[in-house]
Amino acid sequence: MAVLTSAEILAFCQDAASQAEQLNCVVTQLLLQDQRDQDYSSRISLVYSAALVFLMQAGFAMLCAGAVRKKNVQNTMLKNLLDACGAAIAYFSFGYAFAFGDGSNPNGFIGTTNFFLMDFEKYSFWMFQYAFSAASATIVAGTLAERCQMAAYLCYSLLLAGFVYPVVSHSIWSSYGFLSSSITKVNPLFGSGMVDFAGGGVVHLTGGTTALFATMILGPRRGRFHDDEGRKLDKPKDFPGHSIALQMLGTIILWFGWYGFNAGSALITTSKERDQLLALCAVNTTLSGGMAGLVALFLNYFILERQTGEPIFDLVMAMNGSLGGLVAITAGCGVVEPWTAVIIGAVAGVLYLVGSHTLIKVRLDDAVDAIPVHMVNGMWGLLAVGLLASPSKLELAFGEEKPHVGWFYSWSRGSGDARLLACQIVGILWILGWVLGIMMPFFIWLDWKGWFRSDPLEEIVGLDTSYHGGLILMGGEESVNPEYISQFKKQRSNMRNRRTSRLNPHVQSSMDEEQCDDFGDGDALTEPDNLTGTNMSS
């Protein structure tokens, strides 16, 4: 119904037979008008929050662009854009239907209605959920930077946003999901259900786990853990990003977007005090991110001082530590006390450092440390809810008292009830198992088909040159060996000749003569040893 003015309401109620009926009509219309005003404000606020979450795409793009070498910047940023584009189509077509299309015959695993947004009008809610799905897909962009093929990346993005992520979302956030803690859920798991307020598990753990499995199959960047002959390096080679300024810009944009991510989630709850809940989420987000950044910075300083005697204040550690703290508080931002957020952030800073060093020890190459930031701290955030969820804040978030609270609070009550913690653990295992069961075979299939990893020569000269026609670097610290450049040009020339010969066999003889002329060039004869034989895949 359209918004009515006071005069229009009085005119509308004049037809009532008696004065009492007129008065009752006016009161009813005023109450309906107030509800319409609240719905209007909620939709506007939700779209604004979705815009903040979508702005995180710019943060991811800047962070990834600054963390890679110059020869791969354009390729990395395009992959971030593909996440947003691919997720939009995938979530419109199937993703939302699988996540929230419950229909008249719902089940606990997957939605079955509203494909292509048919019979659907809650567009503000769709926009908010789409932004979350795109964020989950973008988490993997940095991990696979500098060595992943474009086609493989788009395929993975569509699968994750259109199917893998929506099923996780349905199981936890849909009121019919088998892990749901919604107040309308009948017989929730262990009488409690899993609490993931803003997506610490649904978004970050799903994306981070996908990143782990992807880099396990894809392998490290050339030269990261092995030399040109395929021999294992005693000390992994560092590939510092070309712009710390872009990394900092990306970090701050992500932090800013997190307020839409976490605080905006309060707008879709059943809370009777959404304004207070929204403010609590913003405060907890700030405290956890700030504490994690400080802990990561100074703990790394202390470790370096003990190991080398020459400690430094590593800005990258501080930035990623803060991001880890923001991830860790996402699952519980609306159900924990502010002082608890500080503790969660402190642990997140430690876990980020441990996770980052563990990746290097097991020789997994994560270009932007997305795995320790999103996967490790995504798990920690879910466990933190099971341990530290406050009774009063759970009531604030759900609009009613919850029988099962954080384990530490249960101990303080003398009961030791760990049902909420058990639900959180089951949720973690479910996400890990689901992503493993779908994405791992998919990545193995891509690798078997030869569609996953870029050609070694393309990786050496840079993906900007290989895929986007960028300039090959000829000077500075990141200069490419001229022998590789000559080999790359010859390879591309031969590929063009073969395509042309298939289209017009009559020109084959002239091409053969041109190739003979090319072999007369001394540079074209040069073929670096590390691109031959078994070393091609090292």
Side-chain angles (χ1 to χ4, degrees), residues 242-473:
H242 84 282
S243 175
I244 195 70
L246 284 179
Q247 294 182 64
M248 174 56 77
L249 176 62
T251 300
I252 297 302
I253 292 175
L254 285 171
W255 193 327
F256 179 73
W258 235 289
Y259 291 115
F261 204 100
N262 287 359
S265 297
L267 299 171
I268 56 176
T269 65
T270 55
S271 174
K272 300 174 183 177
E273 300 178 78
R274 293 182 184 177
D275 55 339
Q276 184 178 351
L277 178 62
L278 185 147
L280 172 67
C281 293
V283 169
N284 285 343
T285 299
T286 303
L287 293 175
S288 181
M291 188 63 183
L294 291 175
V295 169
L297 176 66
F298 288 104
L299 180 59
N300 183 69
Y301 181 91
F302 175 79
I303 293 174
L304 290 177
E305 194 275 332
R306 288 290 181 267
Q307 291 180 344
T308 67
E310 297 180 0
I312 61 171
F313 291 103
D314 193 330
L315 178 57
V316 173
M317 291 294 160
M319 291 187 296
N320 286 339
S322 292
L323 294 177
L326 294 169
V327 170
I329 197 60
T330 298
C333 59
V335 298
V336 300
E337 301 285 350
W339 63 267
T340 307
V342 176
I343 297 176
I344 293 174
V347 176
V350 176
L351 289 177
Y352 162 68
L353 285 181
V354 173
S356 180
H357 287 90
T358 300
L359 284 180
I360 295 176
K361 287 184 178 179
V362 299
R363 296 182 178 267
L364 287 177
D365 187 15
D366 184 349
V368 296
D369 272 349
I371 296 170
V373 168
H374 296 278
M375 179 184 174
V376 174
N377 278 304
M379 286 191 288
W380 159 236
L382 291 173
L383 290 175
V385 171
L387 295 171
L388 299 167
S390 163
S392 62
K393 297 302 182 283
L394 282 169
E395 183 176 357
L396 174 66
F398 288 90
E400 64 177 23
E401 184 178 357
K402 299 290 285 186
H404 306 289
V405 299
W407 192 40
F408 292 155
Y409 282 94
S410 296
W411 275 107
S412 68
R413 294 176 172 182
S415 67
D417 176 15
R419 293 193 179 190
L420 177 57
L421 178 60
C423 289
Q424 302 300 103
I425 295 174
V426 170
I428 292 172
L429 295 176
W430 153 243
I431 294 173
L432 294 176
W434 172 248
V435 177
L436 172 65
I438 301 298
M439 297 308 297
M440 181 66 90
F442 177 70
F443 289 134
I444 292 174
W445 177 76
L446 284 177
D447 189 57
W448 174 71
K449 294 290 291 184
W451 296 343
F452 199 14
R453 180 153 188 154
S454 297
D455 181 84
L457 190 55
E458 293 177 342
E459 184 179 340
I460 290 173
V461 300
L463 300 188
D464 285 2
T465 296
S466 304
Y467 291 105
H468 313 292
L471 296 177
I472 298 177
L473 299 176

Side-chain angles (χ1 to χ4, degrees), residues 47-122:
V47 171
Y48 177 72
S49 296
L52 290 181
V53 177
F54 186 80
L55 183 62
M56 296 175 75
Q57 297 292 328
F60 282 118
M62 294 300 100
L63 182 65
C64 293
V68 301
R69 291 165 288 181
K70 287 182 180 179
K71 61 184 180 180
N72 297 303
V73 172
Q74 185 177 346
N75 182 263
T76 297
M77 296 184 73
L78 177 58
K79 287 174 179 174
N80 280 271
L81 180 60
L82 287 179
D83 281 323
C85 296
I89 302 304
Y91 205 71
F92 161 73
S93 303
F94 307 104
Y96 183 85
F98 291 149
F100 297 102
D102 295 309
S104 59
N105 188 26
N107 65 76
F109 176 69
I110 194 170
T112 56
T113 62
N114 300 134
F115 293 99
F116 301 96
L117 296 189
M118 292 187 294
D119 302 322
F120 180 80
E121 294 182 353
K122 298 180 180 179

